[in-house]
Amino acid sequence: MESEVAATTRREAETQATYIGLKTRARTLQLNNWSVSASPQQQRSTEKKKKSRHKPTVDSNYSQWKTLVPILYDSLSNHSLVWPCLSCRWGPQFEQASSKNQQRLYLTEQTDGSVPNTLVVANCEAVKKQLNGEACSPFVKKYKTIIHPGEVNRIRELPQNSKIVATHTDSPDVLIWDTETQPDRHAVLGAPHSRPDLILTGHQDNAEFALAMFPTEPFVLSGGKDKSVVLWSIQDHITTAGTDSKSPGFRKKTGSYSVGPRGVYHGHEDTVEDVAFCPSSSQQFCSVGDDSCLILWDVRTGTCPAMKVEKAHDADLHCVDWNPHDNNLILTGSADNTVHLFDRRNLTSNGVGSPIYKFEGHKAPVLSVQWSPDKSSVFGSSAEDGLLNIWDYDRVGKKSARSPNSPAGLFFQHAGHRDNVVDFHWNVLEPWTIVSVSGNCESNGGGGTLQIWRMSDLIYRPEDEVLTELENFKSQVFSCAFKL
C-alpha cells in the first residue's frame, strides 16, 4: 500500500498540476485569443490552397473547432433546424429565477413551398451556472408559429417593447407584429397567412433586408430596391406599455392598419442593403448599399444626404451598425471580405472619408456586423466563410504574444457553423451571450443550424484579473486536496 508520505507527495504533485493546468489554460486563451489558431504547418498548407474554394476551409475549421469546445466556451448549444433561418433576434425575458431565465427568441423558416414560410416565436430556457461552476446549455422550444406572407428575410424587435417585431419580406411593405397577441397557427400547405397588426407603406419596389428600430422611441427605418430610405413613426398605433407580455401592444382595432411614411430619403444609386439609427437621436441614421456608399442622414436638414462616403469599400456593402456607446463610430461590412470602422468626425459632405481601421479576418463576403452591448470597443462580424469573428478595436496596435498571422483586433473566432453565418444577435440581458444561425449545405442534409453560445470569461476578462483569481483559487485547491 502507498505510504502516508508518498500519498501526500502525490496529492501535492497532482494539485500543483491542476493549478498549473488552469493557469496555462487562462494564459493560452488570453494570449492566443481566437479559437481556430492554425499551427505553422497548417498555415503553410493553407497558403498552398489559396486557390481552393472556402468550403473545404469551413470544414477544416469546424473539425478543429470541435476539439477545442470544452476550453473555449462557458456554454454552447447546437440545434438543427428543418428549414433554413435567415434572421434571429432575442425577445423579452418572461421569467427570471435564481436557477434559470426564460426568454423569447425570434426565428424564421424559409421553406421550399411545400408548407408556408413562418415567423417562429421560441422559448429559450437558460439555466444559470450550478454550484459546481458548470453551465448547462440553453433549451429551445417552439412556442408559437405565425404564418408569414412570403419568406421572412429580416426581423427587428422594438427595444422599448420587444414583443413587437418588424419583418421584411419580398415586397415593398414592412410588416409589424405583436407576437403575444398573434394566434398560434399550424403551418400546412394552403393555410391562410396570419394578419399583421400594422403594414408600413412607402417603398416603390421590394424592400428585403434593410430594417432598423430606434432604441427609445417607436420609429422604424427601412431601405430597398427603390434606392430609398423610408422612415415611419408607429407611436399613434401602440400603447405605452413596457415589456410586460400580458399588456397589449397595439390599440384595439379591427383588421390591419396601413401607415404611410414620415419621410422618404434619396441619395443611393443602387439597392439599400442595411440601415441603422444613431443611438442618441431618431433624427439621424445611416445606410449602406450596393453602390458601395455609406450615407449619413439628418431629417432636420431635409431628405438629401447629410454626409456621403462614395467609396466606403471596394465592393457592395451588406451591413452597417452604429456604436451604442460612442455615437461617432460606425461599422460597415462588405462583399470585399472586410469590416471598416468609420469615425463620423472624419467624414465630410463632399464624399471624402476614410475608415480609421480596416479589419481583415474573413475569407468571404461579410453578411452582418454588430456592436457588443457589453463593451464599447467590441463587435462581431459574420460571413459566408462560416465564421463569426469577435473583435476589439482597443487591441489594434497593441503588442501581443499571439501568432503574427492573427488579424489585428481579432480575439475570438466562433467556427461552429458549416455554412454561411447569415445572422447573429448579442443578448442584452445575458452578458456575452450570442445566438447565431446558418444554412446547411446539401452535403450536410440542408436545413439550418441555430447555436446559442457564450465564450469562456477567461478570454474577454482582463488578463491580470484572471491570473489573480487563479492565484487566489490556488489555496482553495490545495486545501481541498489535503482533506482527501
Side-chain angles (χ1 to χ4, degrees), residues 81-87 108-112 438-440 446-449:
L81 305 175
V82 175
W83 301 108
C85 178
L86 298 181
S87 190
T108 75
E109 288 182 322
Q110 182 190 28
T111 71
D112 61 0
S438 67
N440 284 343
T449 297

Side-chain angles (χ1 to χ4, degrees), residues 27 30 458 461-472:
R27 284 193 176 277
Q30 288 278 347
L458 298 178
R461 289 167 56 198
E463 180 182 350
D464 292 344
E465 178 185 310
V466 171
L467 296 179
T468 298
E469 181 177 306
L470 289 178
E471 286 291 345
N472 296 334

Side-chain angles (χ1 to χ4, degrees), residues 197-232:
D197 293 275
L198 293 177
I199 300 175
L200 309 186
T201 62
H203 280 293
Q204 303 304 310
D205 201 344
N206 286 356
E208 299 176 345
F209 295 102
L211 187 61
M213 287 181 141
F214 187 64
T216 59
E217 298 177 75
F219 287 98
V220 183
L221 194 65
S222 170
K225 289 185 176 180
D226 58 3
K227 310 174 189 177
S228 70
V229 175
V230 183
L231 175 68
W232 295 269

Side-chain angles (χ1 to χ4, degrees), residues 73-308:
Y73 297 88
D74 281 339
S75 66
L76 170 71
S77 65
N78 183 88
H79 303 270
S80 296
L81 305 175
V82 175
W83 301 108
C85 178
L86 298 181
S87 190
C88 59
R89 301 294 288 186
W90 291 105
Q93 195 172 79
F94 63 93
E95 181 180 332
Q96 189 172 10
S98 58
S99 60
K100 65 182 179 180
N101 292 334
Q102 292 204 73
Q103 189 172 356
R104 297 279 192 247
L105 187 62
Y106 302 126
L107 306 169
T108 75
E109 288 182 322
Q110 182 190 28
T111 71
D112 61 0
S114 59
V115 293
N117 293 283
T118 62
L119 169 62
V120 174
V121 183
N123 288 341
C124 178
E125 182 179 288
V127 179
K128 297 182 180 179
K129 286 189 176 183
Q130 307 300 308
L131 294 177
N132 60 5
E134 296 179 357
C136 296
S137 296
F139 176 75
V140 177
K141 182 179 181 181
K142 185 180 291 188
Y143 165 71
K144 180 180 291 186
T145 297
I146 297 171
I147 299 180
H148 200 272
E151 60 185 46
V152 190
N153 298 323
R154 188 65 55 91
I155 309 170
R156 288 294 180 264
E157 76 288 354
L158 186 66
Q160 316 98 61
N161 192 348
S162 56
K163 67 180 182 178
I164 297 174
V165 302
T167 58
H168 256 327
T169 185
D170 298 330
S171 82
D173 299 330
V174 177
L175 308 181
I176 307 294
W177 309 84
D178 185 332
T179 59
E180 290 301 316
T181 60
Q182 283 284 332
D184 186 20
R185 300 288 303 281
H186 186 44
V188 295
L189 185 63
H193 298 146
S194 299
R195 178 178 292 177
D197 293 275
L198 293 177
I199 300 175
L200 309 186
T201 62
H203 280 293
Q204 303 304 310
D205 201 344
N206 286 356
E208 299 176 345
F209 295 102
L211 187 61
M213 287 181 141
F214 187 64
T216 59
E217 298 177 75
F219 287 98
V220 183
L221 194 65
S222 170
K225 289 185 176 180
D226 58 3
K227 310 174 189 177
S228 70
V229 175
V230 183
L231 175 68
W232 295 269
S233 171
I234 57 174
Q235 178 68 60
D236 294 338
H237 303 278
I238 65 172
T239 67
T240 57
T243 56
D244 182 0
S245 62
K246 295 181 181 179
S247 61
F250 289 92
R251 303 189 190 282
K252 292 182 179 181
K253 61 186 184 303
T254 302
S256 300
Y257 279 136
S258 179
V259 180
R262 182 167 180 155
V264 181
Y265 304 88
H266 300 281
H268 282 284
E269 297 177 3
D270 208 332
T271 299
V272 180
E273 293 288 355
D274 201 10
V275 291
F277 277 104
C278 173
S280 64
S281 173
S282 61
Q283 308 296 305
Q284 300 176 68
F285 41 88
C286 63
S287 58
V288 296
D290 291 343
D291 54 4
S292 301
C293 291
L294 164 65
I295 298 181
L296 275 61
W297 310 85
D298 190 329
V299 301
R300 296 165 296 188
T301 61
T303 59
C304 295
M307 294 182 185
K308 184 175 183 178

Side-chain angles (χ1 to χ4, degrees), residues 29 32-38 57-58 60-62 64-66 68-69 72-73 360-363 379-383 385-391 405-407 409-417 421 434 451 453 455 459:
L29 290 173
N32 286 342
N33 289 344
W34 54 313
S35 63
V36 188
S37 298
T57 304
V58 171
S60 61
N61 283 348
Y62 178 79
Q64 186 179 3
W65 170 82
K66 285 198 299 184
L68 300 173
V69 166
L72 289 173
Y73 297 88
E360 300 175 334
H362 288 290
K363 295 180 174 63
F379 64 90
S381 63
S382 66
D385 57 9
L387 297 176
L388 202 170
N389 290 339
I390 307 298
W391 311 80
N405 293 324
S406 175
L410 179 64
F411 76 96
F412 189 80
Q413 195 172 66
H414 178 67
H417 293 279
V421 184
I434 292 175
Q451 294 182 342
W453 52 277
M455 72 181 80
I459 297 174

